[in-house]
Amino acid sequence: MRKLKRWKKIILFFLVLFVFLFVNNTSLFTKDRDAEPLLLAHRGLGQTFSMEGIQADTCTASRIYVPEHAYLENTIPSMKAAFEAGADIVELDIKPTKDGQFAVFHDWTLECRTNVEGSVKDYTMEQLKNIDIGYGYTADQGATYPFRGKGVGLIPSLDEVLEAFPDGSFLIHIKSTDPEEGKLLAEYLSGLPMKRLSQLTVYGDDEPIQALKSQLPSLRVMSMGTLKSCLASYAGAGWSGYLPSVCRNTQLHIPEKYARYLWGWPDKFLNRMDSINTRVILVAGDGGWSEGFDSVSDLERLPEGYSGGIWTNRVDVIAPELTIKKNE
């Protein structure tokens, strides 16, 4: 009889725990979210390419799809096109130049996309303006180069980007692992007004982000370290509704492969992160190579009524489709 009572208590305990976990983490009983998804345009609007067999040193300009538009990534025209297409935020990459400015450019070296060799730090900003960043793009293994000669003068400085879009929101990517670059960017950003800083988020490797955050503690940042710390802490305690302090005032890039395992995904999780000023961006696949939601069929994988952030390389394709879905 005692054993039976003990087993009843154990079963009742787990039943109550199960009900608590369900009620506390289901989106069925959470506040309705009727906002539109937040669109983050990766590198503005650029040429896309096959992800098959891609490695860290793959020259992506040499494997682009047949161009469907005239824009090159990380340029002011591409950012303008992205915002006009419906982007809420534009992501861009920065590298320091020989004369101490920040150039907006992605690759470690210049050989893949341009007509010169070396890296950004080997050139002044003025010299970079003479480089043709459309030189290396080809969709047919080098038979033709549709952007050759059209990319001269298109590498912008970070200054030029922020001046061109005074009300634009940006995700700035520090491409280096050097903490000195985090300090250098912090010095640059510290000269901006608070309203402008509120429109910016910075991400990158742990060392430069830590260096930047130590000088600008109120700035929203993200690194692999901040992402792992938040998600690990949330995995252990999020079931209770507790929000770890390491999740506050940051940005989370969540691969769709793992998002479903988050406590309260999607709506309750998004509401929880909103309450602590943390932005959630859903990226396609396992998050390995900046895969985006780039086609109409990709959007079908989003949760019904999803209203968080979306990482995309083709905002010109998905923004109109989301508008159509909204009006249906």
Side-chain angles (χ1 to χ4, degrees):
M1 182 64 85
R2 288 181 179 178
K3 284 186 177 182
L4 181 60
K5 286 183 177 179
R6 186 166 64 246
W7 274 110
K8 285 183 177 179
K9 288 181 180 179
I10 292 172
I11 292 172
L12 180 61
F13 169 79
F14 281 106
L15 180 61
V16 170
L17 179 62
F18 173 80
V19 171
F20 173 79
L21 289 174
F22 175 78
V23 172
N24 201 44
N25 291 284
T26 180
S27 291
L28 294 175
F29 307 122
T30 195
K31 183 178 70 173
D32 289 339
R33 297 179 59 88
D34 55 6
E36 293 298 302
L38 186 80
L39 299 182
L40 196 162
H42 182 216
R43 306 184 204 170
L45 183 57
Q47 302 302 313
T48 53
F49 46 84
S50 171
M51 303 297 292
E52 184 178 354
I54 195 171
Q55 301 294 325
D57 58 353
T58 299
C59 176
T60 56
S62 67
R63 57 190 290 161
I64 62 170
Y65 295 123
V66 175
E68 297 180 17
H69 59 74
Y71 300 104
L72 298 175
E73 63 178 50
N74 277 322
T75 63
I76 286 177
S78 81
M79 296 174 198
K80 183 174 185 291
F83 280 127
E84 289 179 348
D88 298 289
I89 307 168
V90 165
E91 188 265 2
L92 56 85
D93 307 287
I94 59 168
K95 291 178 177 296
T97 65
K98 188 176 181 179
D99 56 341
Q101 299 188 57
F102 281 108
V104 179
F105 190 78
H106 175 270
D107 296 353
W108 292 109
T109 61
L110 294 162
E111 287 86 355
C112 170
R113 299 178 198 282
T114 82
N115 57 332
V116 301
E117 297 180 350
S119 60
V120 167
K121 67 181 179 181
D122 299 325
Y123 297 83
T124 65
M125 196 65 232
E126 184 178 356
Q127 290 171 328
L128 290 170
K129 291 292 186 181
N130 296 316
I131 291 173
D132 180 9
I133 62 168
Y135 188 85
Y137 285 84
T138 180
D140 49 18
Q141 292 78 51
T144 60
Y145 290 88
F147 298 103
R148 187 165 287 185
K150 300 178 181 179
V152 179
L154 288 185
I155 294 183
S157 67
L158 182 57
D159 257 341
E160 290 174 314
V161 170
L162 297 183
E163 288 173 6
F165 306 99
D167 297 316
S169 292
F170 291 95
L171 172 62
I172 301 171
H173 187 187
I174 301 177
K175 292 295 294 181
S176 170
T177 60
D178 185 357
E180 291 303 315
E181 291 192 22
K183 294 177 183 178
L184 187 63
L185 181 60
E187 291 173 7
Y188 170 81
L189 295 178
S190 64
L192 300 179
M194 287 303 298
K195 180 181 178 181
R196 192 62 172 124
L197 287 178
S198 70
Q199 298 167 316
L200 306 178
T201 301
V202 181
Y203 80 120
D205 283 332
D206 294 337
E207 291 80 5
I209 292 302
Q210 288 173 2
L212 181 145
K213 187 70 171 177
S214 66
Q215 293 183 234
L216 290 174
S218 63
L219 186 69
R220 180 187 281 120
V221 300
M222 186 190 79
S223 70
M224 187 57 70
T226 64
L227 179 64
K228 287 182 177 179
S229 293
C230 171
L231 294 184
S233 299
Y234 186 79
W239 58 271
S240 67
Y242 171 74
L243 298 175
S245 60
V246 291
C247 292
R248 292 180 180 275
N249 194 37
T250 186
Q251 183 154 309
L252 303 176
H253 289 188
I254 311 292
E256 64 170 318
K257 181 178 179 180
Y258 308 113
R260 72 191 70 177
Y261 303 112
L262 294 169
W263 296 111
W265 180 260
D267 288 354
K268 183 156 284 190
F269 178 79
L270 292 173
N271 284 337
R272 286 170 175 170
M273 293 303 117
D274 282 350
S275 72
I276 55 174
N277 193 37
T278 287
R279 181 185 290 146
V280 177
I281 307 293
L282 190 65
V283 299
D286 62 5
W289 295 107
S290 298
E291 296 99 326
F293 291 86
D294 300 336
S295 67
V296 174
S297 60
D298 288 341
L299 294 178
E300 294 174 359
R301 302 197 307 271
L302 293 173
E304 184 69 27
Y306 178 73
S307 60
I310 299 173
W311 180 277
T312 180
N313 300 289
R314 291 299 304 269
V315 67
D316 59 321
V317 172
I318 72 162
E321 182 63 22
L322 288 171
T323 299
I324 292 171
K325 288 181 177 294
K326 176 184 176 183
N327 295 329
E328 285 180 348

